[in-house]
Amino acid sequence: MPTVLLLGAGSDMAVAIARRFAAAQYDIQLAGRQAAALRPLQQDLQIRYGIAATMHPFDATAYETHTDFFATLPVTPDITVCAFGYLGNQEQAQHDWQEASRILHANFTGAVSVLNVIANVYEAKKAGMIVGISSVAGERGRQSNYIYGSAKAGFTAYLSGLRNRLFRSGVHVMSVQPGFVNTRMTQHLTLPPLLTAQPEQVARVVFKAVQRKKNVLFVKWPWRYIMLIIKLIPEPIFKKLKL
């Protein structure tokens, strides 16, 4: 059976993605900081779908552990989904470097560190697929979330470059731009219903896009055009807007 590795497996989106792939008879590797908390999900996946599911301790910011983490997995996964992230508090991050650092490392440097390791293995094998969950917030910096947005902008650019690099090795890289998603991370926000996806919807769309080997995926199609319009606003006008 093909195997999917979920990095940040405790997130709502990752749980939904794990269930969708397990339903299609993929074995699942669940990786997260609190691996023991993933046991109920692991057991449910095995019983409900009859697949092999394993748990693995993983800390995105423990960079020195990433090589050993991937090397000691029971099997090399065919697909790696990078689903961890941290929205953080923009106002706090403007004055508190610890909060700003947490946002930057959770959304960018941690992802680059572990995906560098995985990309090198896939490149040597000339097989594999990497799926990175980025954000439309990285399409243009806005005052309401520019620290989170800048980290996601870096991650989006990283995925684009990785896709360019690995193409000739037969390794595919897909960037996912979910837009608003109704999760624990966004439960304190008021989100527009028409532009907000549920985790299960994200999982369905990601699964289909993996089969088709899409390069860039906007989970809800209006976001592609919304962000295009936002990027086209001239800077003298854009800087005056409250976004």
Side-chain angles (χ1 to χ4, degrees):
M1 291 184 181
T3 302
V4 177
L5 168 64
L6 273 298
L7 299 171
S11 73
D12 294 334
M13 277 193 289
V15 170
I17 291 170
R19 293 188 185 283
R20 182 63 190 85
F21 276 90
Q25 294 299 291
Y26 284 73
D27 287 338
I28 305 295
Q29 296 171 341
L30 304 168
R33 280 184 302 173
Q34 298 177 334
L38 299 171
R39 186 170 299 280
L41 175 61
Q42 176 210 21
Q43 294 175 339
D44 182 68
L45 293 174
Q46 291 184 139
I47 294 169
R48 188 183 301 269
Y49 302 108
I51 54 92
T54 55
M55 303 178 305
H56 308 278
F58 169 74
D59 185 342
T61 59
Y63 314 120
E64 71 283 357
T65 68
H66 292 171
T67 299
D68 287 344
F69 157 76
F70 195 69
T72 55
L73 291 173
V75 298
T76 300
D78 302 279
I79 301 170
T80 295
V81 180
C82 185
F84 58 81
Y86 174 62
L87 182 60
N89 184 300
Q90 170 66 35
E91 290 189 11
Q92 180 183 348
Q94 291 168 190
H95 306 284
D96 177 1
W97 169 246
Q98 293 303 316
E99 176 70 357
S101 176
R102 195 175 299 119
I103 293 170
L104 296 171
H105 292 310
N107 293 294
F108 179 64
T109 52
V112 171
S113 174
V114 69
L115 292 184
N116 272 354
V117 171
I118 296 169
N120 290 338
V121 173
Y122 283 174
E123 186 175 40
K125 289 182 59 179
K126 297 188 181 302
M129 183 170 185
I130 293 171
V131 178
I133 309 294
S134 192
S135 173
V136 296
E139 296 293 295
R140 191 168 187 177
R142 294 172 292 121
Q143 62 179 291
S144 59
N145 67 353
Y146 63 84
I147 293 180
Y148 172 80
S150 64
K152 286 299 189 181
F155 187 42
T156 296
Y158 171 80
L159 291 169
S160 177
L162 199 61
R163 180 163 50 248
N164 186 207
R165 166 195 160 191
L166 296 178
F167 171 74
R168 289 169 182 78
S169 301
V171 179
H172 188 67
V173 178
M174 183 170 77
S175 307
V176 180
Q177 308 277 38
F180 297 132
V181 183
N182 187 16
T183 66
R184 286 169 291 173
M185 191 169 76
T186 60
Q187 63 185 358
H188 63 289
L189 302 174
T190 301
L191 303 176
L194 292 178
L195 295 176
T196 303
Q198 300 301 318
E200 294 74 19
Q201 181 182 12
V202 175
R204 289 194 303 270
V205 175
V206 166
F207 180 80
K208 289 181 181 179
V210 165
Q211 311 311 308
R212 298 171 182 172
K213 291 191 173 181
K214 293 197 70 170
N215 296 312
V216 179
L217 171 66
F218 285 84
V219 172
K220 292 185 80 77
W221 65 265
W223 279 111
R224 180 185 298 274
Y225 302 101
I226 290 170
M227 298 317 299
L228 176 61
I229 292 169
I230 288 177
K231 288 193 289 187
L232 290 175
I233 298 173
E235 194 65 24
I237 296 173
F238 185 79
K239 69 181 181 181
K240 298 174 184 177
L241 302 176
K242 190 173 183 179
L243 295 173

